[in-house]
């Protein structure tokens, strides 16, 4: 069961995305692609390139004819190739295939003598070598023909099997695909790298009892074959990379369709899905139309008779996949029930569809040449999953939520010294490929595009993208192709004429070829109005990176006397370590840099500016400061405190304005910051309680506006914010939140429905305050639930039970080999079981002592459970007990032993951090808010350069003395 362990690891990253940063593709889904390779020997030579494939596959599900086994397939492939330079060897890919026969012919049909008639998939390279007796002629075409057999995989990769239960409870099997980044080779021999684009003619011989197969292209021809099978041949694909091929052999039906003969769009799912495809169809059609207008390249012109399909697959490793013409999704990210799915899933479905639709242009039509520049695919997908969806559904607040969910999250990932750059020419091996499917590639890349849009202006940005797509369509691209297109558009429009010779090529290279991002320190002389700014690379745990760095930083700013948060065109570009500017006034007033946080950097101010900002934010006119910037201030301050650049009592004084704040972005940033602080005070119950009291006090305004119960007809963002806020406040101990959850849960037991947006926190806190009988009722509901969005919500809440036998029932289900919890959902369930209550870690530890063998069998490894337990232990006695058990069971734990030891050390470091920083919290708890006075007499007339030096020195001193072991 190593496969379940692999997907458990993948899911850990994914569930983090569910709670903080919606991610359309789990960033660690490439783990097994990353296991062993570390040099360019794994890359295919460029001596031979494919032109077209003719592929025929015959899959067998749970029943198979004589001489075949269930869950296998037979196949044939014919590949027309061009020899680019003379060679006596053709190298392509295959993996877990049995090559029965292989021949090489000229296009006239003459056989080319080969060195051998025996062929195997050479591991670990996944190479299939075809050696010829004599050299092949350059610029000539040849045809590789092969028959083979393979296995339907069990790990949601390659050509794999999945299942669901029909309305009678019977298991129904299907076969589906997930080929990115390198798994087409598990379905047929091929040149399985993105640069090798070709045309594909695909035929599937399916069981006649199934519904028609769905694939990239519509069916061209259907004909009966022997043994009760139907042969379906599909229209030729566009010229495309192998990772974009897809087909689903099943009894799926089109549960929604637009009934448009010229622009067909269909939603496919299991028959029991009902009308849950309606929202995805409406959103998909709308977003596809918007993207056609935006790019000026019609989707339906990309290939003859191309259509658009979206399919919901019961077991799916990724969040979704952009296969050309057939977008595949986890059920929870496509099927929406108006009566039972919450706002989080509604917006999630909309932005995942936006991501995959955008990929039809950025990724499919124009593809990254190799994974070192994956951001050319994924940054655009991530960017447009918000801004395309914003155009299609502005009520869902995607523009605001990009800042909270993408920019902020990627800044955190990018603020460690081990972060990788967007572009890395050394990405040849699967280990480095894996690293590039990351928050940095997706979200930082998207943030770079957003920053560039503000720099160029909307019209020039769009013009550049259209130039890029037109120049590289049906081909691959490198970053310089994009930069050149932007610079061409900028030259035509004069978009960069005010920035001292800056080009997109030079500016973007500094951001894409170097990891990290800057902290901008600002000091303003309140008497002269002269300001000074400097940049240095930010590090999240100390504030001081070991790496130097200078970026071309687009600087926008506004001030209290001339407020303008609308014009996002940079005032200037900081190209040196430091510079000066003139604020425009000579009396005390605040200044704010990075309007609407369009730039990818943090901002720290001098003492006086923070005092002025504190006053403004606590004032009734605080809303003149843009919501994004109020949220930026919250996020920056919490991060400054984490690193020790500012003390917690200092930042809490500024953040006291939260008691008046009632909007989405500032409070989502506050929840993130408070949760980090709560996790660090978890080792001191008394101090944690005082922090919780502070939080409850500061949440009065937002609670007063939203209330605890869903309001019919309220703005979408209010419902989404309340759902997040109540999950947080119930954890903090809000008595009304807890009593509302308990009462609503009991009403549910008595037959009343719960608003979908309330279910996550009502389920959890109903169980937390409930009995074993409450859990039994809840668990039986889960076992009979088929709506995927509800399944995940229930799994995330199940661990909230405080009844130990009930928790053990849940843990046993997670590791059960009958997949009571699907592999794709194991991480959600396991995180819930171990972390939902403080007591759960030790309860799970006790369970693990007697169930280690079951865990190893069911999940393949105990590493994730061990890591989660170690991360939630609360004192040295618990840590010592756990360490002793790890040592005694080291042989049975395997690699999980090292995971546990490292996690224990991390917890001890966190405990030490808490001890050293606790006085900062208690200082504020004891004294509360203080109205600070300006310190004007200390200012000089030079713009504050001396102050900057003092600030920098103080920052370094505080960092080194306070955070050595944080």
């Amino acid at each position: 069961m190593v496969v379940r362990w692999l997907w458990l690891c993948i899911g850990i990253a994914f569930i983090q995305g569910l709670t903080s940063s919606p991610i359309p593709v789990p960033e660690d889904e490439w783990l097994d692609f990353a296991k062993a390779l570390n040099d360019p020997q794994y890359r295919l030579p460029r001596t031979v390139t494919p032109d077209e494939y003719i592929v025929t596959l015959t899959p067998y599900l749970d029943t198979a004819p004589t001489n075949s086994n269930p869950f296998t397939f037979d196949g044939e492939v014919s590949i027309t190739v061009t020899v680019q330079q003379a060679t006596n060897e053709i190298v392509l890919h295959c993996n877990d295939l049995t090559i029965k026969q292989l021949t090489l012919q000229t296009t006239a049909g003459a056989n080319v003598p080969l060195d051998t008639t025996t062929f195997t998939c050479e591991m670990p390279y996944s190479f299939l070598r075809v050696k010829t007796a004599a050299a092949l002629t350059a610029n000539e075409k040849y045809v590789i023909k092969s028959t083979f057999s393979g296995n339907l995989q069990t790990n949601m990769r390659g050509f794999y099997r999945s299942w669901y239960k029909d309305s009678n409870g019977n298991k129904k099997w299907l076969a589906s695909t997930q080929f990115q980044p390198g798994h087409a080779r598990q379905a047929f021999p091929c040149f399985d790298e993105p640069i090798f684009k070709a045309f594909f003619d695909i035929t599937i011989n399916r069981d006649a009892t199934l519904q028609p197969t769905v694939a990239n292209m519509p069916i061209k021809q259907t004909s009966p074959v022997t043994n009760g099978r139907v042969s379906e041949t599909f229209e030729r694909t566009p010229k495309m990379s192998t990772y974009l091929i897809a087909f689903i052999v099943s009894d799926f039906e089109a549960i929604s369709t637009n009934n448009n003969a010229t622009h067909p769009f269909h939603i496919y799912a299991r028959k029991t899905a009902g009308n849950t495809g309606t929202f995805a169809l409406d959103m998909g059609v709308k977003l596809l139309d918007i993207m056609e207008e935006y790019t000026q390249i019609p989707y339906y012109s990309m290939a003859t008779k191309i259509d658009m399909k979206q399919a919901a697959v019961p077991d799916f490793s990724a969040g979704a996949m952009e296969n050309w013409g057939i977008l595949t999704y986890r059920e929870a990210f496509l099927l929406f029930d108006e009566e039972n799915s919450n706002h989080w899933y509604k917006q999630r479905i909309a932005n995942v569809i936006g991501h995959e639709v955008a990929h039809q242009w950025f990724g499919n039509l124009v593809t990254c040449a190799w994974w070192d520049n994956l951001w050319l695919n994924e940054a655009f997908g991530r960017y447009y999953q918000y801004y395309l969806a914003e155009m299609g559904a502005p009520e869902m607040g995607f523009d605001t939520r990009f800042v909270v969910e993408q920019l902020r999250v990627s800044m955190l990932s990018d603020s460690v010294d081990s972060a990788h750059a967007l572009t890395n020419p050394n990405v040849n091996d699967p280990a480095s490929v894996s690293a590039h499917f990351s928050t940095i590639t997706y979200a930082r890349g998207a943030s770079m595009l957003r920053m560039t849009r503000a720099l160029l202006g909307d019209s020039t940005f769009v013009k550049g993208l259209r130039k890029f797509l037109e120049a590289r369509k049906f081909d691959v691209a490198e970053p310089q192709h994009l930069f050149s297109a932007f610079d061409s558009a900028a030259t035509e429009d004069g978009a960069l004429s005010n920035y001292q010779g800056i080009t997109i090529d030079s500016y973007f290279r500094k951001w894409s070829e170097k990891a990290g991002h800057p902290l901008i320190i600002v000091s303003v002389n309140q008497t002269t109005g002269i300001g000074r700014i400097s940049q240095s690379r930010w590090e999240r745990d100390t504030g001081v990176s070991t790496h130097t760095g200078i970026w071309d930083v687009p600087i926008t700013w506004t001030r209290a006397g001339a407020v303008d948060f609308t014009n996002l065109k940079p005032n200037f570009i900081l190209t040196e370590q430091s510079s000066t500017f003139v604020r425009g006034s000579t009396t005390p007033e605040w200044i704010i840099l990075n309007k609407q946080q369009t730039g990818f950097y943090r901002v720290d101010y001098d003492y006086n500016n923070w005092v002025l900002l504190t006053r403004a934010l606590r004032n009734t006119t605080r809303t003149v400061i843009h919501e994004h910037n109020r949220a930026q201030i919250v996020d920056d301050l919490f991060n400054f405190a984490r690193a020790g650049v500012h003390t917690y009592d200092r930042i809490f004084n500024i953040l006291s304005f939260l008691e008046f704040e009632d909007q989405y972005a500032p409070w989502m940033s506050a929840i993130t910051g408070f949760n980090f602080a709560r996790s660090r005070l978890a080792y001191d119950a008394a101090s944690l309680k005082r922090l919780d009291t502070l939080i409850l006090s500061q949440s009065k305004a937002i609670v007063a506006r939203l209330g605890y119960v869903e309001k019919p007809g309220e703005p979408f963002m209010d419902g989404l914010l309340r759902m997040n806020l109540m999950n947080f406040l119930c954890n903090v101990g809000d008595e009304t939140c807890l009593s509302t959850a308990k009462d609503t849960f009991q009403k549910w037991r008595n037959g009343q429905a719960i608003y979908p947006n309330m279910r996550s926190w009502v389920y959890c806190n109903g169980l937390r305050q409930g009995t074993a009988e409450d859990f039994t009722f809840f668990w039986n509901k889960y076992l009979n639930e088929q709506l995927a969005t509800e399944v995940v919500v229930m799994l995330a809440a199940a661990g909230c039970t405080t009844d130990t036998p009930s928790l053990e029932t849940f843990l046993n289900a997670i590791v059960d080999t009958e997949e009571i919890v699907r592999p794709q959902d194991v991480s959600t369930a396991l995180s819930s079981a171990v972390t939902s209550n403080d007591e759960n870690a030790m309860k799970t530890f006790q369970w693990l002592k007697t169930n280690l063998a079951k865990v190893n069998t069911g999940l393949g490894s105990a590493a994730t459970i061990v890591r989660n337990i170690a991360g939630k232990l609360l004192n040295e006695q618990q840590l010592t007990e756990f360490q002793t058990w790890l040592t005694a069971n080291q042989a049975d734990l395997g690699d999980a032993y090292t995971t546990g030891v490292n996690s224990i050390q991390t917890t001890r470091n966190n405990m030490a951090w808490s001890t050293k920083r606790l006085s900062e919290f208690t200082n504020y708890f004891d004294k509360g808010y203080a109205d600070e006075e300006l310190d004007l007499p200390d200012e000089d007339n030079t713009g504050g350069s001396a102050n900057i030096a003092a600030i920098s020195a103080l920052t370094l001193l505080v960092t080194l003395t306070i955070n050595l072991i944080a």
Side-chain angles (χ1 to χ4, degrees):
M1 301 300 293
V2 174
V3 166
R4 288 196 91 189
W5 157 237
L6 170 64
W7 289 107
L8 180 60
C9 291
I10 292 165
I12 294 302
F14 184 66
I15 190 61
Q16 291 170 350
L18 295 183
T19 56
S20 61
S21 171
I23 297 171
V25 180
E27 296 161 352
D28 288 346
E29 72 181 49
W30 321 95
L31 279 178
D32 84 349
F33 199 64
K35 282 185 176 177
L37 313 182
N38 59 6
D39 62 63
Q41 294 182 66
Y42 289 82
R43 297 286 300 277
L44 292 179
R46 301 292 185 266
T47 51
V48 177
T49 57
D51 299 319
E52 64 181 27
Y53 294 76
I54 301 173
V55 181
T56 300
L57 297 174
T58 305
Y60 312 113
L61 296 176
D62 51 331
T63 59
T66 305
N67 300 324
S68 296
N69 294 319
F71 304 116
T72 63
F73 60 91
D74 292 321
E76 301 175 8
V77 66
S78 175
I79 311 173
T80 301
V81 300
T82 297
V83 176
Q84 302 297 334
Q85 56 183 338
T87 181
N88 63 353
E89 182 181 60
I90 299 174
V91 185
L92 60 162
H93 285 118
C94 71
N95 185 6
D96 198 25
L97 299 178
T98 300
I99 307 300
K100 297 179 178 179
Q101 185 179 24
L102 188 147
T103 63
L104 182 65
Q105 298 177 344
T106 66
T107 53
N111 285 327
V112 176
L114 303 177
D115 273 2
T116 182
T117 58
T118 302
F119 301 91
T120 59
C121 301
E122 178 186 324
M123 300 305 291
Y125 301 96
S126 295
F127 284 169
L128 174 59
R129 298 183 185 273
V130 182
K131 295 185 178 181
T132 58
L136 301 175
T137 305
N139 301 317
E140 290 292 326
K141 295 184 182 296
Y142 296 85
V143 181
I144 305 168
K145 292 186 176 182
S146 177
T147 60
F148 54 90
S149 62
N151 300 298
L152 293 178
Q153 303 297 312
T154 59
N155 61 355
M156 297 180 282
R157 295 184 174 199
F159 194 16
Y160 70 92
R161 70 196 201 192
S162 178
W163 61 272
Y164 68 92
K165 289 185 178 179
D166 64 17
S167 57
N168 296 318
N170 298 317
K171 182 175 282 191
K172 305 288 289 186
W173 288 97
L174 62 118
S176 188
T177 59
Q178 172 60 27
F179 288 165
Q180 192 182 40
H183 304 300
R185 66 192 71 174
Q186 292 177 306
F188 55 93
C190 57
F191 294 80
D192 203 14
E193 293 181 7
I195 198 170
F196 293 110
K197 288 193 169 187
F199 298 100
F200 294 83
D201 296 315
I202 296 175
T203 297
I204 302 291
N205 297 324
R206 64 165 172 85
D207 191 305
T209 63
L210 300 175
Q211 291 294 311
T213 303
V214 288
N216 301 90
M217 299 295 291
I219 294 174
K220 177 181 181 180
Q221 179 180 341
T222 301
S223 58
V225 296
T226 58
N227 299 323
R229 291 194 163 263
V230 174
S231 178
E232 295 163 335
T233 299
F234 298 87
E235 299 284 353
R236 171 166 283 205
T237 70
K239 188 177 183 182
M240 61 193 288
S241 305
T242 51
Y243 77 87
L244 294 169
I245 295 294
F247 33 84
I248 303 174
V249 184
S250 68
D251 66 351
F252 282 6
E253 293 182 342
I255 61 171
S256 294
T257 179
N258 67 345
N259 294 311
N260 188 318
T262 59
H263 293 74
F265 201 124
H266 315 292
I267 309 294
Y268 286 88
R270 52 182 167 80
K271 296 177 182 179
T272 52
N275 63 356
T276 56
T278 302
F279 175 72
L281 176 68
D282 294 344
M283 187 58 62
V285 170
K286 180 186 292 187
L287 298 186
L288 194 67
D289 288 344
I290 293 171
M291 201 66 184
E292 286 189 321
E293 175 64 26
Y294 188 85
T295 63
Q296 294 292 291
I297 299 176
Y299 170 80
Y300 290 95
S301 71
M302 291 180 180
T304 302
K305 298 185 178 181
I306 194 170
D307 60 358
M308 174 54 78
K309 299 167 290 294
Q310 297 185 136
V313 183
D315 294 294
F316 195 60
S317 60
M321 181 62 204
E322 66 265 24
N323 319 292
W324 216 338
I326 177 171
L327 314 180
T328 46
Y329 300 80
R330 286 191 180 195
E331 285 192 351
F333 296 156
L334 189 68
L335 304 182
F336 182 80
D337 184 338
E338 290 285 351
E339 299 297 321
N340 293 291
S341 300
N342 63 39
H343 277 12
W344 190 91
Y345 278 106
K346 189 169 190 176
Q347 62 82 27
R348 175 67 165 158
I349 289 168
N351 80 359
V352 174
I353 291 173
H355 183 107
E356 307 311 331
V357 165
H359 268 318
Q360 305 305 290
W361 287 263
F362 298 99
N364 298 10
L365 186 66
V366 180
T367 309
C368 64
W370 178 240
W371 306 116
D372 59 341
N373 290 313
L374 176 67
W375 68 268
L376 285 175
N377 288 17
E378 296 303 340
F380 281 106
R382 183 61 60 86
Y383 176 80
Y384 283 111
Q385 81 180 62
Y386 283 83
Y387 291 101
L388 179 58
E390 174 76 15
M391 290 184 271
E395 72 279 3
M396 293 188 189
F398 286 106
D399 182 53
T400 293
R401 289 185 22 253
F402 180 93
V403 178
V404 175
E405 298 167 359
Q406 300 303 318
L407 185 143
R408 305 269 167 77
V409 171
S410 60
M411 289 184 81
L412 195 63
S413 296
D414 191 48
S415 61
V416 294
D417 283 353
S418 59
H420 68 80
L422 285 179
T423 297
N424 183 351
N426 297 317
V427 177
N428 291 308
D429 60 276
S432 49
V433 168
S434 173
H436 273 254
F437 284 83
S438 68
T439 296
I440 291 172
T441 297
Y442 283 66
R444 183 183 188 267
S447 298
M448 294 301 99
L449 293 175
R450 180 173 176 267
M451 183 166 66
T452 303
R453 183 187 71 174
L455 172 61
L456 289 173
D458 287 349
S459 61
T460 303
F461 182 75
V462 173
K463 179 188 287 188
L465 293 182
R466 289 174 179 174
K467 287 176 176 284
F468 170 66
L469 290 171
E470 186 61 35
R472 305 304 301 176
K473 62 184 179 182
F474 301 109
D475 205 343
V476 295
E478 303 279 359
Q480 63 266 23
H481 297 127
L482 177 65
F483 303 158
S484 176
F486 275 143
D487 275 325
S488 175
T491 299
E492 291 178 11
D493 295 352
L496 299 175
S497 58
N498 294 328
Y499 301 121
Q500 302 87 41
I502 288 289
T503 66
I504 295 298
D505 186 89
S506 62
Y507 143 86
F508 217 122
R509 284 181 187 277
K510 288 185 179 179
W511 285 95
S512 63
E513 296 178 3
K514 177 169 53 184
H517 58 271
L519 166 68
I520 302 296
I521 298 180
V522 185
S523 178
V524 179
N525 186 305
Q526 297 293 337
T527 302
T528 67
I530 296 175
R532 184 173 182 84
I533 63 174
S534 65
Q535 62 167 305
S536 59
R537 180 166 168 173
W538 172 254
E539 205 283 329
R540 71 185 185 193
D541 292 320
T542 65
V544 180
S545 173
T546 59
H547 303 299
T548 59
I550 299 294
W551 291 262
D552 290 344
V553 188
I555 300 294
T556 57
W557 60 271
T558 188
R559 59 186 176 89
V563 176
D564 176 12
F565 285 96
T566 303
N567 180 8
L568 302 180
K569 192 78 171 174
N571 299 73
F572 61 94
I573 296 180
L574 178 64
T575 59
E576 304 296 334
Q577 196 277 326
S578 63
S579 182
T580 59
F581 66 98
V582 178
R583 184 183 61 187
S585 64
T586 55
T587 56
E589 63 173 335
W590 56 256
I591 186 173
I592 289 178
L593 267 68
N594 201 5
K595 293 191 287 187
Q596 296 192 41
Q597 203 168 9
T598 52
F600 198 73
Y601 53 90
R602 298 196 183 278
V603 184
D604 194 9
Y605 302 101
D606 60 32
Y607 169 83
N608 283 329
N609 202 69
W610 278 124
V611 170
L612 291 166
L613 281 173
T614 302
R615 294 175 181 176
L617 289 166
R618 291 179 56 86
N619 194 282
T620 55
T621 59
R622 72 184 181 285
T623 54
V624 300
I625 299 174
H626 197 281
E627 179 185 352
H628 294 181
N629 287 97
R630 302 202 306 274
Q632 174 195 6
I633 288 169
V634 175
D635 185 67
D636 281 350
L637 285 171
F638 269 119
N639 277 278
F640 294 155
R642 169 180 175 162
V645 171
H646 289 290
T647 59
Y648 271 96
D649 51 341
R650 177 80 177 108
I651 69 113
F652 280 149
N653 205 66
I654 304 170
L655 292 174
S656 63
F657 82 91
L658 287 170
E659 68 179 291
F660 311 110
E661 181 61 65
D662 63 2
Q663 292 303 302
Y664 183 93
W667 261 103
M668 290 302 293
S669 293
I671 289 170
T672 300
F674 279 131
N675 274 335
F676 176 83
R678 293 187 78 245
S679 72
R680 292 300 173 92
L681 294 189
Y683 315 107
D684 185 322
S687 296
L688 178 59
K689 185 174 181 179
R690 296 186 77 185
L691 175 60
D692 288 346
T693 299
L694 173 66
I695 292 169
L696 293 173
S697 174
Q698 293 200 334
S699 64
K700 288 179 180 178
I702 185 64
V703 169
R705 185 176 77 80
L706 293 179
Y708 294 88
V709 180
E710 196 84 359
K711 300 174 183 176
E714 69 183 351
F716 181 91
M717 290 287 281
D718 281 358
L720 189 63
L721 177 56
R722 184 189 297 103
M723 182 168 56
N724 285 288
L725 185 68
M726 291 307 135
N727 275 303
F728 174 62
L729 291 182
C730 275
N731 286 339
V732 169
D734 184 296
E735 291 183 359
T736 306
C737 183
L738 292 170
S739 63
T740 301
K742 185 175 182 178
D743 292 346
T744 306
F745 188 93
Q746 292 306 316
K747 290 176 181 178
W748 177 55
R749 284 203 60 180
N750 292 327
Q752 293 188 24
I754 308 174
Y755 286 116
N757 287 342
M758 295 178 65
R759 291 181 188 177
S760 60
W761 57 277
V762 166
Y763 287 160
C764 176
N765 292 284
L767 291 172
R768 191 173 277 159
Q769 301 171 89
T771 64
E773 290 74 20
D774 288 323
F775 180 85
T776 299
F777 175 84
F778 172 89
W779 190 244
N780 286 333
K781 288 284 190 180
Y782 165 78
L783 293 175
N784 291 289
E785 184 58 61
Q786 289 207 39
L787 180 65
T789 56
E790 183 73 352
V791 164
V792 179
V793 169
M794 297 185 83
L795 286 174
C800 295
T801 180
T802 55
D803 178 65
T804 301
S806 297
L807 179 63
E808 292 177 350
T809 295
F810 185 34
L811 287 164
N812 287 329
I814 294 171
V815 300
D816 194 295
T817 55
E818 291 299 311
E819 297 186 357
I820 298 172
V821 177
R822 287 183 180 274
Q824 66 184 14
D825 298 326
V826 163
S827 61
T828 302
L830 193 57
S831 176
S832 172
V834 181
T835 67
S836 291
N837 299 309
D838 287 340
E839 301 82 8
N840 283 23
M842 288 302 290
K843 288 181 178 181
T844 303
F845 175 34
Q846 298 305 319
W847 173 85
L848 181 60
K849 287 180 179 180
T850 56
N851 289 278
L852 179 57
K854 184 188 294 186
V855 171
N856 285 335
T857 300
L859 301 181
S861 170
T864 301
I865 296 179
V866 164
R867 181 188 300 111
N868 284 355
I869 291 172
K872 294 293 288 185
L873 299 179
L874 297 176
N875 54 57
E876 186 59 39
Q877 180 181 346
Q878 292 178 352
L879 290 170
T880 301
E881 181 182 351
F882 193 50
Q883 173 76 71
T884 300
W885 179 80
L886 290 174
T887 302
N889 292 273
Q890 183 172 355
D892 292 330
L893 284 164
D895 290 343
Y897 169 78
T898 303
T899 299
V901 171
N902 291 339
S903 298
I904 287 172
Q905 185 57 51
T906 298
T907 298
R908 286 195 169 110
N909 290 345
N910 292 341
M911 293 170 68
W913 185 100
S914 177
T915 300
K916 284 186 172 293
R917 306 294 299 278
L918 184 58
S919 62
E920 300 171 21
F921 290 88
T922 56
N923 283 343
Y924 190 80
F925 298 155
D926 291 341
K927 298 177 182 179
Y929 170 73
D931 186 10
E932 298 170 313
E933 296 296 325
L934 292 175
D935 187 18
L936 298 179
D938 290 339
E939 295 190 325
D940 57 30
N941 294 320
T942 65
S945 58
N947 290 341
I948 285 290
I951 290 169
S952 298
L954 179 61
T955 293
L956 181 60
L957 179 62
V958 170
T959 294
L960 294 178
T961 57
I962 294 181
N963 286 293
L964 286 175
I965 61 173

